[in-house]
Amino acid sequence: MCGIIGYIGKKPAAPILIEGLRRLEYRGYDSAGVAVLAETGFTVRKKKGKIDEGLAPLLEQEPATGNLGIGHTRWATHGPPSDENSHPHLDQSGRIAVVHNGVIENYDRIRERLLAAGHTFHSGTDTEVLAHLIGEHLEKRRGKNAGSCPLTAAVCDALREVIGTYGLVVISKDQPNVMIGARRGSPLIIGIGKDEHFFTSDANAIVAHTRQVVYLNDYDIATISSERFDVQNLGTETAKVQISQLEFSAEEAQRGEFSHFMLKEICEQPRTVENALRGRVDLEGATARFGGLNLTAEALRSIDRIVIAASGTSWHAALVGEYLIEEFAHIPVEVEFAHEFCYRNAPLERGTVLLVISQSGETADTLAALREAKRRGHRALAIVNVVGSTIAREADGGIYMHAGPEIGVASTKAFVSTLTILLLLAIHLGRMRMLAARRAMEILKALQAVPAQIEALLKQNDELRNLARKYSHSEHFFFLSRGYSFPIALEGALKLKEISYIHAEGYSAAEMKHGPIALIDSKTPTVFLVPRDSMYEKTMANLAMIRARKGPIIAVATEGDRQIVPVADDIIFLPETLEPVYPLLATIPLQLLAYHIALHRGCDVDKPRNLAKSVTVE
């Protein structure tokens, strides 16, 4: 949440900063700002609202010149969205500028101390307090031996006082040839160029300029100039540095011919599934294979229990994974909200493995769950999309999605990639235990058919657009199903809520009669997932209860199902497949339905209100 970009080099900084902020806007779009340093001092420009409506026009009217600068796009935590609360923030002297992601938990106590010392604040943010604190420490170091970089030393001094999380970048009028970055709990990356360097919270912002990066670890403090970079650790004064290569190109992070990133990413899902399957399907052995689990076959067979920790869309995927692993491998699985796992004393017996799921690999709650499990002596595995992310680096082993950059705030292709991987993992574990080769082979072949089946579903886009128009004025929706498809009902409801702001609830169809059915009326449509599976007859009986109460029904059914025709108002047909594979197919029309309903309601699907892409603060 929130986005940071910093540049130091030979080129004009402002165009690079504004381009980077546009690429980061999905991380936060309450406000945006830049501070550019020239010989005459700082030029600070910041504005509430989206970049192209606020900051960009302001910079055209009042340009900022210089070859060093920082920028920030904000998702508000402390202080409401406003020009004053926008980053960058200056210290008391006006000689230091700071951009910051994260939460400084003891900012109020530091603020009171600084107020008593005569400081004046112009915002309600914790970041301005941090800027003043760094400035105070820099003032204390004037005239003293602070090593090669007094600003780096002042940042270290200030951060030793701070409780909380941060990814921050600092520049100073007094040291115009360096820029300081630091992280704890909030991602920060160094971009390495020729005669130029970058800081960013997300590699998307700099991939057009360089594909060589260094992912900072917690408590790392980095000092960059146009020619070099140095990294130290707040606790040890030394730091491990590894230069990584970005897997994706600048073109992959562009919207291209599509009107929205969300639509682009929905349409990329055939390739997403192919990427998740590539190199992992072993038809000869009727199993799946993974190169990064870092567990021997013996260790995998000794697993007695799996706890899956995730948040949001990833949590819904985890529920599908629970069903799959328990059926195929007969390993007990428990799915936890990552934040709940961290704050309750859940028993973890010997033989328990934690599996965390995070598209970004930086989700704060999920990272905390991973660290908690490792602290208690348990192995922690991860499914992540971003290579080099914190979770990927700290997990004992894991599986990359290889879904490519996902820019739309509402996750689509990462969800489908996760479902694919969880099905492969269930087969992998199952074949080590009791899953018959013939059954595994059937599922693997059904999985290989999924990319073409998704292509066929995407061709229903026009029909789904018309269906969305019909129901776009509804203010309440239910999404219902059973078995493997039940978590997809939860995910369908979440997608609709996220981008159209319609109140939507996902339930097990069997639970409706235990209370929620009281809300059914002629103005409340129900999206019923009714694939031809082992729960079909029971799901149809649940559907009849809604029909009897005059609730409009949108059925998601299997091709060739004639029984559904007379009882549904509208029908979306899925290609026929095996029961464990249906969730992959059922997801696609629900994403498109939510997308088109949001468009009909005039919503910004890529930048839904109050949301940001990656939740890196608690």
Side-chain angles (χ1 to χ4, degrees), residues 282-288 427 431 435-441 444:
D282 178 5
L283 291 178
E284 185 177 342
T287 188
I427 293 169
R431 290 290 288 131
L435 183 63
R438 182 169 56 85
R439 176 62 172 160
M441 184 70 77
L444 289 170

Side-chain angles (χ1 to χ4, degrees), residues 115-322:
L115 282 170
H119 287 241
T120 302
F121 294 94
H122 304 283
S123 76
T125 69
D126 54 343
T127 302
E128 188 184 11
V129 174
L130 183 58
H132 281 238
L133 182 64
I134 295 170
E136 181 187 58
H137 281 285
L138 185 60
E139 188 63 32
K140 289 178 181 177
R141 283 189 169 269
R142 290 191 190 281
K144 295 181 181 179
N145 181 13
S148 59
C149 183
L151 183 59
T152 303
V155 170
C156 291
D157 291 343
L159 293 181
R160 290 188 179 100
E161 284 194 51
V162 162
I163 299 171
T165 58
Y166 50 81
L168 63 93
V169 180
V170 185
I171 56 178
S172 170
K173 291 180 181 180
D174 298 328
Q175 292 185 257
N177 299 317
V178 296
M179 182 181 295
I180 316 302
R183 76 152 280 174
R184 179 181 183 270
S186 193
L188 195 66
I189 301 166
I190 300 172
I192 303 168
K194 184 176 180 184
D195 296 325
E196 60 185 7
H197 284 91
F198 305 81
F199 277 124
T200 184
S201 55
D202 185 325
N204 284 334
I206 59 172
V207 69
H209 302 281
T210 181
R211 296 178 73 173
Q212 280 197 309
V213 298
V214 172
Y215 294 92
L216 296 181
N217 296 307
D218 276 356
Y219 300 105
D220 278 352
I221 313 290
T223 304
I224 64 173
S225 66
S226 58
E227 295 84 19
R228 57 175 295 164
F229 70 90
D230 294 292
V231 183
Q232 65 184 76
N233 189 275
L234 194 60
T236 64
E237 301 301 318
T238 61
K240 294 180 181 178
V241 175
Q242 179 178 344
I243 298 175
S244 303
Q245 189 80 8
L246 296 178
E247 280 197 335
F248 62 95
S249 66
E251 290 71 29
E252 289 180 87
Q254 295 291 329
R255 200 174 61 213
E257 63 185 15
F258 294 92
S259 52
H260 296 91
F261 278 109
M262 183 179 181
L263 181 60
K264 173 180 182 276
E265 288 153 10
I266 290 172
C267 293
E268 286 175 343
Q269 288 175 125
R271 190 177 70 180
T272 298
V273 175
E274 289 174 350
N275 289 344
L277 293 174
R278 186 171 292 115
R280 292 169 174 162
V281 175
D282 178 5
L283 291 178
E284 185 177 342
T287 188
R289 57 173 176 254
F290 299 100
L293 290 178
N294 298 333
L295 290 172
T296 64
E298 182 181 357
L300 288 169
R301 289 190 190 97
S302 69
I303 294 173
D304 295 323
R305 178 173 171 241
I306 296 173
V307 176
I308 308 178
S311 300
T313 286
S314 296
W315 187 79
H316 296 155
L319 292 176
V320 179
E322 177 184 12

Side-chain angles (χ1 to χ4, degrees), residues 334-396:
E334 183 178 353
V335 175
E336 291 265 10
F337 288 113
H339 53 276
E340 294 295 335
F341 177 85
C342 296
Y343 290 107
R344 69 186 191 88
N345 191 25
L348 294 180
E349 305 90 347
R350 182 177 303 217
T352 297
V353 168
L354 179 75
L355 174 64
V356 299
I357 304 172
S358 169
Q359 187 280 139
S360 68
E362 302 290 352
T363 310
D365 298 335
T366 310
L367 177 58
L370 180 145
R371 288 171 173 170
E372 176 63 18
K374 292 184 70 173
R375 189 178 297 117
R376 294 166 67 174
H378 294 272
R379 286 192 173 272
L381 304 177
I383 298 174
V384 297
N385 190 32
V386 180
V387 175
S389 59
T390 305
I391 289 175
R393 286 181 283 124
E394 294 195 15
D396 295 309

Side-chain angles (χ1 to χ4, degrees), residues 355-497:
L355 174 64
V356 299
I357 304 172
S358 169
Q359 187 280 139
S360 68
E362 302 290 352
T363 310
D365 298 335
T366 310
L367 177 58
L370 180 145
R371 288 171 173 170
E372 176 63 18
K374 292 184 70 173
R375 189 178 297 117
R376 294 166 67 174
H378 294 272
R379 286 192 173 272
L381 304 177
I383 298 174
V384 297
N385 190 32
V386 180
V387 175
S389 59
T390 305
I391 289 175
R393 286 181 283 124
E394 294 195 15
D396 295 309
I399 306 166
Y400 282 120
M401 298 178 195
H402 297 304
E406 186 177 69
I407 309 298
V409 169
S411 179
T412 51
K413 65 178 182 177
F415 178 71
V416 166
S417 182
T418 305
L419 293 180
T420 306
I421 289 166
L422 286 168
L423 183 46
L424 289 173
L425 182 61
I427 293 169
H428 182 68
L429 296 172
R431 290 290 288 131
M432 292 181 169
R433 292 167 181 250
M434 57 162 302
L435 183 63
R438 182 169 56 85
R439 176 62 172 160
M441 184 70 77
E442 288 175 350
I443 299 167
L444 289 170
K445 288 184 175 178
L447 257 178
Q448 289 181 317
V450 165
Q453 291 174 319
I454 292 178
E455 291 280 11
L457 284 168
L458 292 172
K459 291 177 181 175
Q460 297 184 33
N461 187 48
D462 289 343
E463 294 137 59
L464 286 160
R465 183 188 295 114
N466 293 333
L467 189 62
R469 184 180 296 111
K470 177 178 176 181
Y471 291 101
S472 61
H473 298 294
S474 301
E475 293 302 326
H476 307 279
F477 263 80
F478 276 108
F479 287 74
L480 305 178
S481 193
R482 299 181 69 153
Y484 286 116
S485 297
F486 157 57
I488 307 307
L490 298 179
E491 175 63 11
L494 177 62
K495 283 292 152 287
L496 191 63
K497 281 185 276 198

